Amino acid sequence: MPRGHAALGVVVPLLALAVWQGVTLAGMVPPSMLPPPAEMVRTLAEMAGSGELAQAVGITAWRLAWGFVVGAAAGTVLGALCGASALARALLDPTVQALRSVPSLAWVPLFILWLGIFESSKTTLIAVGVFFPVYLNLMSGIAQVDRKLLEVGVVHGYSRLRRLIAIQLPAALPAYVVGLRSGLGLGWMFVSAAELLGASNGLGFVLDDGEQTGRPERVLVAILLFGLCGKTTDMALAAAGARLVRWQDNAMPVQGQRALQPA
Amino acid sequence: MAHEVHIAGLAKTYGSQRVLGPLDLHLEAGTITVVIGRSGCGKSTLLRCLGGLEKPDAGSIRIGAGQLRREDIGYVFQEPRLMPWLTVSRNVAFGLRGHPARDDRVAEALAIVGLQQAASLLPKQLSGGMAQRAALARALAPKPELILLDEPFSALDPFSRESLQQHLLHLYRHYRTTMVLITHDMDEALTLGDRILVMQGPPGKIVADLSRHDTKARLREALEPGGRGPPGPQAGAERPQTPLRARAL
Protein backbone atom coordinates (compact mmCIF):
# COMPACT_ATOMS: atom_id res chain seq x y z
CA MET A 1 0.00 0.00 0.00
CA PRO A 2 1.44 3.43 -0.88
CA ARG A 3 2.37 5.52 2.16
CA GLY A 4 -0.19 8.20 1.29
CA HIS A 5 -2.97 5.59 1.28
CA ALA A 6 -1.93 4.27 4.70
CA ALA A 7 -2.28 7.77 6.13
CA LEU A 8 -5.84 7.92 4.74
CA GLY A 9 -6.84 5.29 7.29
CA VAL A 10 -6.63 7.78 10.17
CA VAL A 11 -8.85 10.38 8.51
CA VAL A 12 -12.17 8.85 9.61
CA PRO A 13 -11.12 8.29 13.27
CA LEU A 14 -9.82 11.87 13.50
CA LEU A 15 -13.01 13.18 11.97
CA ALA A 16 -15.09 11.14 14.42
CA LEU A 17 -13.00 12.49 17.30
CA ALA A 18 -13.61 16.06 16.13
CA VAL A 19 -17.37 15.47 15.83
CA TRP A 20 -17.38 13.82 19.26
CA GLN A 21 -15.56 16.80 20.79
CA GLY A 22 -17.93 19.22 19.04
CA VAL A 23 -21.07 17.38 20.15
CA THR A 24 -19.97 17.23 23.79
CA LEU A 25 -18.73 20.86 23.83
CA ALA A 26 -22.04 22.07 22.42
CA GLY A 27 -23.85 20.16 25.17
CA MET A 28 -25.90 18.24 22.64
CA VAL A 29 -25.46 15.01 24.65
CA PRO A 30 -25.23 14.97 28.44
CA PRO A 31 -21.76 13.96 29.80
CA SER A 32 -23.39 11.12 31.76
CA MET A 33 -24.15 9.52 28.42
CA LEU A 34 -21.16 10.60 26.35
CA PRO A 35 -18.21 12.20 28.16
CA PRO A 36 -15.86 14.43 26.13
CA PRO A 37 -12.71 12.83 24.65
CA ALA A 38 -10.57 14.67 27.22
CA GLU A 39 -12.42 12.89 30.03
CA MET A 40 -11.70 9.57 28.41
CA VAL A 41 -8.03 10.42 28.10
CA ARG A 42 -7.96 11.40 31.79
CA THR A 43 -9.59 8.09 32.77
CA LEU A 44 -7.11 6.21 30.58
CA ALA A 45 -4.19 8.01 32.27
CA GLU A 46 -5.63 7.30 35.72
CA MET A 47 -6.06 3.61 34.94
CA ALA A 48 -2.56 3.45 33.51
CA GLY A 49 -1.12 5.19 36.55
CA SER A 50 -2.83 2.93 39.04
CA GLY A 51 -1.75 -0.20 37.19
CA GLU A 52 -5.40 -1.14 36.55
CA LEU A 53 -4.95 -0.77 32.82
CA ALA A 54 -1.97 -3.10 32.53
CA GLN A 55 -3.65 -5.63 34.79
CA ALA A 56 -6.92 -5.59 32.87
CA VAL A 57 -5.25 -5.85 29.47
CA GLY A 58 -2.81 -8.49 30.74
CA ILE A 59 -5.52 -10.74 32.17
CA THR A 60 -7.73 -10.45 29.10
CA ALA A 61 -4.79 -11.12 26.78
CA TRP A 62 -3.79 -14.14 28.88
CA ARG A 63 -7.31 -15.60 28.68
CA LEU A 64 -7.43 -14.96 24.96
CA ALA A 65 -4.00 -16.52 24.43
CA TRP A 66 -5.01 -19.73 26.21
CA GLY A 67 -8.33 -19.97 24.42
CA PHE A 68 -6.68 -19.22 21.09
CA VAL A 69 -3.96 -21.83 21.54
CA VAL A 70 -6.43 -24.53 22.61
CA GLY A 71 -9.01 -23.67 19.93
CA ALA A 72 -6.46 -23.28 17.14
CA ALA A 73 -4.71 -26.54 18.09
CA ALA A 74 -8.00 -28.48 18.09
CA GLY A 75 -9.07 -26.80 14.84
CA THR A 76 -5.73 -27.59 13.24
CA VAL A 77 -5.72 -31.27 14.19
CA LEU A 78 -9.33 -31.91 13.24
CA GLY A 79 -9.16 -29.69 10.14
CA ALA A 80 -6.07 -31.51 8.88
CA LEU A 81 -7.64 -34.89 9.57
CA CYS A 82 -10.94 -34.11 7.85
CA GLY A 83 -9.18 -32.33 4.99
CA ALA A 84 -6.85 -35.22 4.29
CA SER A 85 -9.19 -38.15 4.81
CA ALA A 86 -12.54 -38.46 3.06
CA LEU A 87 -13.48 -41.10 5.63
CA ALA A 88 -12.74 -38.79 8.56
CA ARG A 89 -14.62 -36.00 6.82
CA ALA A 90 -17.67 -38.20 6.24
CA LEU A 91 -17.53 -39.36 9.84
CA LEU A 92 -16.83 -36.11 11.70
CA ASP A 93 -17.70 -33.11 9.55
CA PRO A 94 -21.53 -33.36 9.77
CA THR A 95 -21.30 -33.35 13.58
CA VAL A 96 -18.85 -30.44 13.62
CA GLN A 97 -21.05 -28.47 11.23
CA ALA A 98 -24.10 -29.17 13.40
CA LEU A 99 -22.23 -27.93 16.47
CA ARG A 100 -21.13 -24.87 14.52
CA SER A 101 -24.73 -23.84 14.00
CA VAL A 102 -25.29 -23.68 17.79
CA PRO A 103 -24.86 -20.01 18.83
CA SER A 104 -21.61 -20.08 20.79
CA LEU A 105 -23.03 -18.14 23.71
CA ALA A 106 -25.58 -20.92 24.17
CA TRP A 107 -22.76 -23.04 25.51
CA VAL A 108 -22.10 -20.65 28.39
CA PRO A 109 -24.56 -22.14 30.92
CA LEU A 110 -23.29 -25.62 30.18
CA PHE A 111 -19.63 -24.62 30.51
CA ILE A 112 -20.37 -22.85 33.81
CA LEU A 113 -22.22 -25.94 35.07
CA TRP A 114 -19.45 -28.27 34.01
CA LEU A 115 -16.37 -26.15 34.57
CA GLY A 116 -17.39 -23.57 37.15
CA ILE A 117 -17.36 -19.82 36.87
CA PHE A 118 -13.60 -19.38 36.90
CA GLU A 119 -10.97 -19.57 34.19
CA SER A 120 -11.72 -22.97 32.59
CA SER A 121 -15.19 -22.03 31.38
CA LYS A 122 -13.91 -18.76 29.92
CA THR A 123 -10.98 -20.44 28.15
CA THR A 124 -13.29 -23.11 26.77
CA LEU A 125 -15.76 -20.56 25.43
CA ILE A 126 -12.96 -18.64 23.69
CA ALA A 127 -11.52 -21.89 22.33
CA VAL A 128 -14.92 -22.81 20.86
CA GLY A 129 -15.03 -19.46 19.08
CA VAL A 130 -11.52 -19.88 17.69
CA PHE A 131 -11.97 -23.53 16.72
CA PHE A 132 -14.57 -23.26 13.95
CA PRO A 133 -12.91 -20.82 11.55
CA VAL A 134 -9.56 -22.57 11.95
CA TYR A 135 -11.14 -25.98 11.35
CA LEU A 136 -13.23 -24.90 8.38
CA ASN A 137 -10.50 -23.00 6.58
CA LEU A 138 -7.83 -25.65 7.04
CA MET A 139 -10.15 -28.49 6.09
CA SER A 140 -11.37 -26.82 2.92
CA GLY A 141 -7.85 -25.59 2.15
CA ILE A 142 -6.49 -29.14 2.24
CA ALA A 143 -9.45 -30.76 0.52
CA GLN A 144 -9.42 -28.23 -2.31
CA VAL A 145 -5.73 -28.48 -3.19
CA ASP A 146 -5.29 -28.62 -6.95
CA ARG A 147 -5.41 -32.25 -8.10
CA LYS A 148 -2.75 -31.40 -10.64
CA LEU A 149 -0.23 -30.66 -7.89
CA LEU A 150 -1.11 -33.92 -6.15
CA GLU A 151 -0.43 -35.80 -9.38
CA VAL A 152 3.13 -34.43 -9.31
CA GLY A 153 3.49 -36.23 -5.97
CA VAL A 154 2.01 -39.41 -7.45
CA VAL A 155 4.41 -39.48 -10.41
CA HIS A 156 7.32 -39.00 -8.01
CA GLY A 157 6.23 -41.98 -5.95
CA TYR A 158 5.07 -39.98 -2.92
CA SER A 159 2.95 -41.91 -0.43
CA ARG A 160 -0.37 -40.43 0.70
CA LEU A 161 1.17 -39.18 3.94
CA ARG A 162 4.07 -37.58 2.09
CA ARG A 163 1.65 -35.93 -0.33
CA LEU A 164 -0.23 -34.50 2.65
CA ILE A 165 2.94 -33.14 4.25
CA ALA A 166 4.76 -31.98 1.13
CA ILE A 167 1.85 -30.73 -1.00
CA GLN A 168 -1.50 -30.41 0.73
CA LEU A 169 -0.42 -28.71 3.96
CA PRO A 170 1.80 -26.05 2.31
CA ALA A 171 -0.85 -25.43 -0.35
CA ALA A 172 -3.48 -24.96 2.38
CA LEU A 173 -1.34 -22.44 4.27
CA PRO A 174 -3.05 -19.31 2.86
CA ALA A 175 -6.48 -20.64 3.86
CA TYR A 176 -5.08 -21.63 7.26
CA VAL A 177 -3.75 -18.11 7.88
CA VAL A 178 -7.19 -16.71 7.03
CA GLY A 179 -8.70 -19.21 9.48
CA LEU A 180 -6.32 -18.18 12.26
CA ARG A 181 -7.06 -14.50 11.71
CA SER A 182 -10.81 -15.11 11.73
CA GLY A 183 -10.35 -17.27 14.83
CA LEU A 184 -8.41 -14.54 16.58
CA GLY A 185 -11.11 -11.99 15.75
CA LEU A 186 -13.78 -14.29 17.19
CA GLY A 187 -11.47 -14.95 20.16
CA TRP A 188 -11.56 -11.25 21.07
CA MET A 189 -15.34 -11.28 20.72
CA PHE A 190 -15.66 -14.27 22.99
CA VAL A 191 -13.20 -13.07 25.61
CA SER A 192 -15.27 -9.93 26.04
CA ALA A 193 -18.45 -12.01 26.24
CA ALA A 194 -16.90 -14.39 28.78
CA GLU A 195 -15.70 -11.52 30.96
CA LEU A 196 -19.00 -9.67 30.71
CA LEU A 197 -20.85 -12.76 31.83
CA GLY A 198 -18.86 -13.22 34.99
CA ALA A 199 -15.41 -11.93 35.82
CA SER A 200 -13.85 -9.84 38.55
CA ASN A 201 -11.03 -8.57 36.36
CA GLY A 202 -10.03 -8.01 32.75
CA LEU A 203 -11.25 -5.55 30.13
CA GLY A 204 -14.72 -7.13 30.03
CA PHE A 205 -15.02 -6.47 33.75
CA VAL A 206 -14.06 -2.80 33.14
CA LEU A 207 -16.91 -2.64 30.62
CA ASP A 208 -19.38 -4.19 33.06
CA ASP A 209 -18.13 -2.10 35.96
CA GLY A 210 -18.47 1.11 33.93
CA GLU A 211 -22.06 0.23 33.12
CA GLN A 212 -22.96 -0.77 36.70
CA THR A 213 -21.42 2.35 38.24
CA GLY A 214 -22.65 4.78 35.59
CA ARG A 215 -19.21 5.75 34.30
CA PRO A 216 -19.42 5.75 30.50
CA GLU A 217 -15.79 6.91 30.21
CA ARG A 218 -14.68 3.53 31.61
CA VAL A 219 -16.91 1.73 29.12
CA LEU A 220 -15.44 3.78 26.28
CA VAL A 221 -11.87 3.18 27.50
CA ALA A 222 -12.51 -0.58 27.55
CA ILE A 223 -14.06 -0.47 24.05
CA LEU A 224 -11.08 1.52 22.79
CA LEU A 225 -8.63 -0.94 24.32
CA PHE A 226 -10.49 -3.95 22.90
CA GLY A 227 -10.31 -2.32 19.50
CA LEU A 228 -6.61 -1.44 19.81
CA CYS A 229 -5.63 -4.88 21.13
CA GLY A 230 -7.70 -6.67 18.49
CA LYS A 231 -6.23 -4.60 15.69
CA THR A 232 -2.66 -4.99 16.98
CA THR A 233 -2.85 -8.77 17.32
CA ASP A 234 -4.53 -9.10 13.93
CA MET A 235 -1.81 -6.99 12.33
CA ALA A 236 0.89 -9.11 13.98
CA LEU A 237 -0.76 -12.34 12.79
CA ALA A 238 -1.33 -10.91 9.31
CA ALA A 239 2.35 -9.89 9.09
CA ALA A 240 3.51 -13.33 10.25
CA GLY A 241 1.07 -14.98 7.84
CA ALA A 242 2.20 -12.80 4.93
CA ARG A 243 5.76 -14.02 5.45
CA LEU A 244 4.57 -17.61 5.31
CA VAL A 245 2.58 -17.17 2.11
CA ARG A 246 4.78 -14.69 0.28
CA TRP A 247 5.03 -17.25 -2.52
CA GLN A 248 1.44 -16.54 -3.50
CA ASP A 249 1.12 -14.97 -6.91
CA ASN A 250 -1.43 -12.33 -6.00
CA ALA A 251 -2.18 -8.81 -7.09
CA MET A 252 -0.11 -7.19 -4.32
CA PRO A 253 3.45 -8.52 -4.51
CA VAL A 254 5.63 -8.58 -1.41
CA GLN A 255 7.89 -5.55 -1.28
CA GLY A 256 11.27 -6.10 -2.88
CA GLN A 257 10.12 -8.86 -5.21
CA ARG A 258 9.44 -8.29 -8.86
CA ALA A 259 8.50 -10.54 -11.72
CA LEU A 260 11.35 -11.50 -14.00
CA GLN A 261 11.18 -10.99 -17.69
CA PRO A 262 11.55 -14.07 -19.87
CA ALA A 263 15.15 -15.11 -20.41
CA MET B 1 19.93 -47.47 -19.10
CA ALA B 2 17.04 -46.96 -21.45
CA HIS B 3 14.10 -49.33 -21.39
CA GLU B 4 11.73 -50.61 -23.99
CA VAL B 5 8.02 -50.46 -23.32
CA HIS B 6 5.57 -53.27 -24.08
CA ILE B 7 1.88 -52.52 -24.06
CA ALA B 8 -0.58 -55.36 -24.55
CA GLY B 9 -4.36 -55.11 -24.78
CA LEU B 10 -4.42 -51.78 -22.92
CA ALA B 11 -7.94 -50.37 -22.51
CA LYS B 12 -9.52 -47.64 -20.42
CA THR B 13 -13.17 -46.77 -19.93
CA TYR B 14 -14.68 -43.71 -18.26
CA GLY B 15 -18.21 -44.54 -17.18
CA SER B 16 -19.78 -46.26 -20.14
CA GLN B 17 -17.46 -44.78 -22.75
CA ARG B 18 -14.31 -46.53 -23.80
CA VAL B 19 -11.66 -43.88 -24.36
CA LEU B 20 -8.68 -46.06 -25.13
CA GLY B 21 -7.81 -49.29 -26.82
CA PRO B 22 -7.53 -52.14 -26.76
CA LEU B 23 -4.00 -51.17 -27.72
CA ASP B 24 -0.86 -53.19 -28.40
CA LEU B 25 2.43 -51.36 -28.75
CA HIS B 26 6.12 -51.93 -28.50
CA LEU B 27 8.32 -48.87 -27.99
CA GLU B 28 12.02 -49.35 -28.58
CA ALA B 29 14.54 -48.46 -25.93
CA GLY B 30 16.40 -45.17 -26.36
CA THR B 31 14.01 -43.65 -28.88
CA ILE B 32 11.59 -40.73 -28.86
CA THR B 33 8.11 -41.92 -29.73
CA VAL B 34 5.63 -39.18 -30.51
CA VAL B 35 1.93 -39.92 -30.19
CA ILE B 36 -0.06 -37.39 -32.20
CA GLY B 37 -3.78 -36.99 -32.49
CA ARG B 38 -6.67 -34.61 -32.19
CA SER B 39 -7.99 -33.43 -28.82
CA GLY B 40 -9.92 -36.11 -26.98
CA CYS B 41 -8.56 -39.03 -29.01
CA GLY B 42 -7.18 -40.73 -25.91
CA LYS B 43 -3.48 -39.92 -26.24
CA SER B 44 -3.19 -38.31 -22.82
CA THR B 45 -5.05 -41.23 -21.29
CA LEU B 46 -2.45 -43.56 -22.81
CA LEU B 47 0.32 -41.52 -21.21
CA ARG B 48 -1.46 -41.32 -17.87
CA CYS B 49 -1.79 -45.12 -17.89
CA LEU B 50 1.93 -45.40 -18.64
CA GLY B 51 2.74 -42.97 -15.80
CA GLY B 52 0.53 -44.73 -13.28
CA LEU B 53 -1.93 -41.84 -13.00
CA GLU B 54 -4.78 -43.90 -14.42
CA LYS B 55 -5.51 -47.52 -13.78
CA PRO B 56 -6.31 -49.30 -17.05
CA ASP B 57 -9.38 -51.52 -17.16
CA ALA B 58 -7.58 -54.17 -19.11
CA GLY B 59 -4.20 -55.03 -20.53
CA SER B 60 -0.68 -54.75 -19.29
CA ILE B 61 2.24 -52.33 -19.45
CA ARG B 62 5.72 -53.73 -19.08
CA ILE B 63 8.64 -51.35 -18.96
CA GLY B 64 12.05 -52.93 -19.41
CA ALA B 65 12.28 -56.14 -17.44
CA GLY B 66 9.32 -55.02 -15.34
CA GLN B 67 11.44 -53.95 -12.40
CA LEU B 68 11.03 -50.23 -12.95
CA ARG B 69 10.04 -48.20 -9.90
CA ARG B 70 7.75 -45.21 -10.19
CA GLU B 71 10.73 -42.99 -9.38
CA ASP B 72 12.40 -44.25 -12.56
CA ILE B 73 9.72 -42.65 -14.70
CA GLY B 74 9.91 -38.92 -15.36
CA TYR B 75 6.67 -37.13 -16.20
CA VAL B 76 6.33 -33.67 -17.73
CA PHE B 77 2.81 -32.27 -17.77
CA GLN B 78 1.19 -29.80 -20.12
CA GLU B 79 1.49 -27.13 -17.40
CA PRO B 80 4.62 -26.70 -15.27
CA ARG B 81 2.83 -27.73 -12.05
CA LEU B 82 5.61 -26.30 -9.91
CA MET B 83 4.96 -26.11 -6.17
CA PRO B 84 4.43 -22.35 -5.79
CA TRP B 85 5.92 -22.26 -2.27
CA LEU B 86 9.22 -23.88 -3.29
CA THR B 87 12.12 -22.18 -5.03
CA VAL B 88 13.11 -23.45 -8.46
CA SER B 89 15.96 -25.54 -7.04
CA ARG B 90 13.71 -27.10 -4.37
CA ASN B 91 11.10 -27.82 -7.02
CA VAL B 92 13.75 -29.56 -9.10
CA ALA B 93 14.75 -31.54 -5.99
CA PHE B 94 11.13 -32.67 -5.49
CA GLY B 95 11.80 -36.21 -6.67
CA LEU B 96 15.18 -36.47 -4.92
CA ARG B 97 14.23 -36.55 -1.25
CA GLY B 98 16.94 -38.27 0.71
CA HIS B 99 19.13 -38.70 -2.36
CA PRO B 100 22.83 -38.61 -1.38
CA ALA B 101 23.82 -36.48 -4.38
CA ARG B 102 20.74 -34.30 -4.36
CA ASP B 103 22.46 -30.93 -4.72
CA ASP B 104 24.65 -32.18 -7.57
CA ARG B 105 21.67 -33.67 -9.38
CA VAL B 106 19.72 -30.43 -9.03
CA ALA B 107 22.66 -28.35 -10.29
CA GLU B 108 23.12 -30.72 -13.22
CA ALA B 109 19.44 -30.65 -14.19
CA LEU B 110 19.30 -26.86 -13.90
CA ALA B 111 22.39 -26.56 -16.09
CA ILE B 112 20.84 -28.79 -18.78
CA VAL B 113 17.78 -26.55 -19.04
CA GLY B 114 19.80 -23.35 -18.58
CA LEU B 115 18.20 -22.22 -15.34
CA GLN B 116 21.23 -21.99 -13.03
CA GLN B 117 20.61 -18.28 -12.47
CA ALA B 118 17.00 -18.88 -11.49
CA ALA B 119 17.67 -21.50 -8.80
CA SER B 120 16.56 -19.33 -5.90
CA LEU B 121 13.52 -17.79 -7.56
CA LEU B 122 9.93 -18.64 -6.75
CA PRO B 123 7.68 -19.97 -9.54
CA LYS B 124 5.67 -16.74 -9.59
CA GLN B 125 8.83 -14.94 -10.70
CA LEU B 126 9.28 -17.15 -13.77
CA SER B 127 8.02 -16.69 -17.30
CA GLY B 128 5.98 -19.52 -18.83
CA GLY B 129 8.99 -20.87 -20.71
CA MET B 130 11.24 -20.76 -17.65
CA ALA B 131 8.60 -22.51 -15.54
CA GLN B 132 8.27 -25.29 -18.09
CA ARG B 133 12.06 -25.66 -18.24
CA ALA B 134 12.06 -25.96 -14.45
CA ALA B 135 9.39 -28.67 -14.77
CA LEU B 136 11.58 -30.46 -17.30
CA ALA B 137 14.54 -30.22 -14.91
CA ARG B 138 12.39 -31.68 -12.12
CA ALA B 139 11.54 -34.68 -14.29
CA LEU B 140 15.19 -35.12 -15.27
CA ALA B 141 16.88 -34.71 -11.91
CA PRO B 142 16.23 -38.30 -10.73
CA LYS B 143 17.73 -39.51 -14.06
CA PRO B 144 14.65 -41.48 -15.06
CA GLU B 145 14.78 -44.49 -17.33
CA LEU B 146 11.65 -43.40 -19.16
CA ILE B 147 10.38 -39.85 -19.69
CA LEU B 148 6.72 -39.23 -20.46
CA LEU B 149 5.82 -35.81 -21.85
CA ASP B 150 2.19 -34.75 -22.15
CA GLU B 151 2.03 -31.86 -24.62
CA PRO B 152 4.74 -30.10 -22.63
CA PHE B 153 5.21 -27.22 -25.04
CA SER B 154 1.64 -26.59 -26.18
CA ALA B 155 1.01 -23.59 -23.93
CA LEU B 156 4.22 -21.81 -24.92
CA ASP B 157 4.95 -19.13 -27.47
CA PRO B 158 6.77 -20.33 -30.64
CA PHE B 159 10.18 -19.07 -29.44
CA SER B 160 9.99 -20.76 -26.04
CA ARG B 161 8.63 -23.90 -27.72
CA GLU B 162 11.55 -24.14 -30.12
CA SER B 163 14.04 -23.45 -27.36
CA LEU B 164 12.54 -26.19 -25.18
CA GLN B 165 12.42 -28.63 -28.07
CA GLN B 166 16.14 -28.07 -28.49
CA HIS B 167 16.66 -28.64 -24.79
CA LEU B 168 14.77 -31.90 -25.08
CA LEU B 169 16.90 -33.08 -27.95
CA HIS B 170 20.01 -32.04 -26.06
CA LEU B 171 18.79 -34.17 -23.18
CA TYR B 172 18.07 -37.04 -25.45
CA ARG B 173 21.62 -36.99 -26.76
CA HIS B 174 22.90 -36.71 -23.21
CA TYR B 175 20.96 -39.56 -21.61
CA ARG B 176 19.53 -41.60 -24.50
CA THR B 177 16.48 -42.07 -22.35
CA THR B 178 13.37 -43.63 -23.83
CA MET B 179 10.82 -40.86 -24.28
CA VAL B 180 7.14 -40.82 -25.13
CA LEU B 181 5.82 -37.42 -26.16
CA ILE B 182 2.19 -36.51 -26.71
CA THR B 183 1.42 -33.64 -29.06
CA HIS B 184 -1.12 -32.35 -31.53
CA ASP B 185 1.50 -30.30 -33.39
CA MET B 186 2.65 -31.91 -36.65
CA ASP B 187 5.88 -29.89 -36.86
CA GLU B 188 6.78 -30.85 -33.32
CA ALA B 189 6.09 -34.51 -34.10
CA LEU B 190 8.35 -34.44 -37.16
CA THR B 191 11.06 -32.48 -35.32
CA LEU B 192 11.27 -34.65 -32.25
CA GLY B 193 9.99 -38.11 -33.05
CA ASP B 194 12.04 -41.07 -34.14
CA ARG B 195 8.71 -42.70 -34.53
CA ILE B 196 5.34 -40.99 -34.89
CA LEU B 197 2.20 -42.85 -33.92
CA VAL B 198 -1.03 -41.31 -35.14
CA MET B 199 -3.92 -41.89 -32.79
CA GLN B 200 -7.60 -41.52 -33.50
CA GLY B 201 -10.54 -42.02 -31.23
CA PRO B 202 -12.26 -42.33 -28.93
CA PRO B 203 -11.63 -45.09 -28.27
CA GLY B 204 -7.97 -44.26 -28.86
CA LYS B 205 -6.33 -46.48 -31.45
CA ILE B 206 -3.09 -46.18 -33.40
CA VAL B 207 -4.05 -45.70 -37.03
CA ALA B 208 -0.65 -44.97 -38.54
CA ASP B 209 2.95 -45.67 -37.59
CA LEU B 210 5.27 -43.17 -39.25
CA SER B 211 8.85 -42.05 -38.89
CA ARG B 212 10.42 -38.61 -38.89
CA HIS B 213 11.39 -39.24 -42.51
CA ASP B 214 7.75 -39.09 -43.51
CA THR B 215 6.43 -35.85 -44.94
CA LYS B 216 4.08 -33.47 -43.25
CA ALA B 217 1.53 -34.17 -45.99
CA ARG B 218 1.67 -37.86 -45.16
CA LEU B 219 1.19 -37.08 -41.48
CA ARG B 220 -1.71 -34.74 -42.22
CA GLU B 221 -3.36 -37.42 -44.31
CA ALA B 222 -3.05 -39.91 -41.48
CA LEU B 223 -4.56 -37.42 -39.06
CA GLU B 224 -7.69 -36.92 -41.16
CA PRO B 225 -10.75 -38.65 -39.67
CA GLY B 226 -10.74 -42.17 -41.03
CA GLY B 227 -7.15 -41.75 -42.22
CA ARG B 228 -4.96 -44.81 -42.23
CA GLY B 229 -1.21 -45.22 -42.59
CA PRO B 230 0.48 -48.26 -44.05
CA PRO B 231 2.15 -49.87 -41.03
CA GLY B 232 -0.28 -51.21 -38.46
CA PRO B 233 -0.19 -50.44 -34.78
CA GLN B 234 1.72 -53.58 -33.89
CA ALA B 235 4.31 -53.13 -36.57
CA GLY B 236 6.62 -51.12 -34.35
CA ALA B 237 8.34 -54.20 -32.98
CA GLU B 238 9.50 -55.12 -36.44
CA ARG B 239 10.69 -51.67 -37.40
CA PRO B 240 14.44 -51.24 -37.62
CA GLN B 241 16.08 -49.10 -34.96
CA THR B 242 15.69 -45.49 -36.02
CA PRO B 243 19.08 -43.80 -36.14
CA LEU B 244 19.62 -40.89 -33.82
CA ARG B 245 18.86 -37.77 -35.78
CA ALA B 246 21.88 -35.74 -36.82
CA ARG B 247 20.29 -32.42 -37.50
CA ALA B 248 22.02 -29.21 -36.57
CA LEU B 249 20.06 -27.51 -33.82
Side-chain angles (χ1 to χ4, degrees):
Chain A
M1 192 191 296
R3 193 164 296 176
H5 286 195
L8 278 180
V10 297
V11 169
V12 172
L14 285 178
L15 213 61
L17 203 65
V19 170
W20 178 6
Q21 181 73 37
V23 164
T24 50
L25 268 181
M28 292 165 76
V29 183
S32 59
M33 300 293 282
L34 183 68
E39 177 65 16
M40 208 178 95
V41 173
R42 195 183 57 76
T43 307
L44 193 66
E46 259 179 31
M47 287 172 71
S50 67
E52 188 189 355
L53 183 78
Q55 194 203 25
V57 170
I59 285 171
T60 299
W62 179 250
R63 285 181 182 134
L64 175 78
W66 263 111
F68 182 75
V69 166
V70 172
T76 302
V77 170
L78 218 58
L81 186 68
C82 290
S85 159
L87 179 67
R89 190 156 61 248
L91 188 70
L92 299 171
D93 189 55
T95 307
V96 176
Q97 297 294 350
L99 290 174
R100 190 169 73 96
S101 53
V102 175
S104 299
L105 291 181
W107 296 107
V108 171
L110 197 63
F111 291 159
I112 290 176
L113 270 177
W114 282 351
L115 304 163
I117 57 163
F118 298 109
E119 293 306 310
S120 303
S121 57
K122 293 183 184 62
T123 308
T124 308
L125 182 65
I126 298 160
V128 166
V130 173
F131 169 82
F132 288 108
V134 174
Y135 165 82
L136 271 180
N137 278 279
L138 183 60
M139 182 193 68
S140 57
I142 291 175
Q144 287 167 14
V145 168
D146 190 350
R147 174 186 56 80
K148 291 178 174 177
L149 289 185
L150 290 173
E151 284 185 353
V152 175
V154 173
V155 298
H156 283 96
Y158 276 38
S159 66
R160 214 170 142 200
L161 180 64
R162 269 187 76 190
R163 290 202 294 273
L164 173 67
I165 294 167
I167 302 172
Q168 284 172 290
L169 286 179
L173 210 52
Y176 184 53
V177 170
V178 170
L180 287 176
R181 285 182 67 187
S182 308
L184 186 66
L186 281 178
W188 278 107
M189 193 192 288
F190 280 83
V191 76
S192 65
E195 288 180 347
L196 268 175
L197 290 167
S200 54
N201 48 26
L203 281 177
F205 171 73
V206 175
L207 274 178
D208 190 41
D209 182 54
E211 184 215 334
Q212 298 291 333
T213 57
R215 288 183 289 175
E217 66 276 9
R218 280 175 71 80
V219 175
L220 287 166
V221 163
I223 288 172
L224 178 76
L225 288 171
F226 266 124
L228 280 176
C229 291
K231 180 70 181 158
T232 309
T233 50
D234 182 60
M235 277 167 65
L237 196 57
R243 285 183 66 83
L244 287 175
V245 298
R246 65 183 171 191
W247 46 266
Q248 272 192 303
D249 195 6
N250 51 23
M252 289 166 54
V254 178
Q255 225 173 2
Q257 290 184 347
R258 64 188 176 85
L260 285 188
Q261 294 306 306
Chain B
M1 195 184 103
H3 287 273
E4 55 186 7
V5 179
H6 297 274
I7 296 167
L10 191 73
K12 176 71 187 171
T13 305
Y14 290 131
S16 60
Q17 189 182 14
R18 171 161 285 189
V19 291
L20 183 69
L23 204 66
D24 298 287
L25 268 179
H26 172 232
L27 309 179
E28 290 161 12
T31 61
I32 301 182
T33 301
V34 173
V35 181
I36 187 168
R38 293 167 187 272
S39 293
C41 73
K43 55 191 190 301
S44 285
T45 305
L46 166 65
L47 204 73
R48 290 172 66 81
C49 288
L50 282 172
L53 289 172
E54 298 282 354
K55 199 172 179 316
D57 302 317
S60 67
I61 298 166
R62 189 163 58 81
I63 299 167
Q67 302 298 314
L68 216 60
R69 298 168 304 155
R70 201 187 285 268
E71 293 91 315
D72 296 327
I73 301 175
Y75 204 114
V76 184
F77 296 93
Q78 192 169 351
E79 327 79 19
R81 302 195 186 185
L82 300 174
M83 302 298 151
W85 53 90
L86 297 179
T87 60
V88 168
S89 62
R90 293 188 65 194
N91 262 295
V92 173
F94 197 76
L96 292 169
R97 207 180 73 126
H99 195 284
R102 191 175 77 158
D103 293 348
D104 293 341
R105 288 285 187 89
V106 169
E108 190 184 350
L110 284 173
I112 289 170
V113 299
L115 277 185
Q116 302 98 311
Q117 305 302 317
S120 58
L121 298 182
L122 286 167
K124 71 173 181 180
Q125 297 171 290
L126 305 178
S127 68
M130 289 166 84
Q132 196 61 330
R133 275 193 277 162
L136 193 57
R138 177 179 61 193
L140 296 173
K143 297 197 174 170
E145 314 281 354
L146 171 69
I147 300 183
L148 307 172
L149 305 108
D150 188 1
E151 301 190 37
F153 315 129
S154 63
L156 301 178
D157 63 89
F159 304 107
S160 301
R161 187 181 308 151
E162 194 181 329
S163 158
L164 267 174
Q165 285 169 351
Q166 291 186 23
H167 274 108
L168 192 72
L169 285 173
H170 172 67
L171 275 174
Y172 178 60
R173 292 198 194 94
H174 197 78
Y175 292 119
R176 294 289 183 88
T177 312
T178 311
M179 296 189 192
V180 181
L181 182 134
I182 302 292
T183 186
H184 54 248
D185 181 329
M186 287 190 280
D187 292 320
E188 185 167 280
L190 291 165
T191 305
L192 296 174
D194 290 311
R195 183 181 176 196
I196 300 156
L197 300 175
V198 180
M199 185 179 261
Q200 286 193 4
K205 284 205 161 81
I206 305 297
V207 296
D209 189 344
L210 310 176
S211 85
R212 66 187 180 87
H213 301 297
D214 279 290
T215 61
K216 194 170 175 179
R218 176 72 197 86
L219 181 54
R220 185 180 286 116
E221 186 193 329
L223 276 165
E224 288 299 319
R228 288 286 185 276
Q234 283 82 39
E238 287 79 44
R239 279 181 75 245
Q241 176 81 33
T242 312
L244 181 64
R245 67 189 71 44
R247 74 176 70 92
L249 281 164

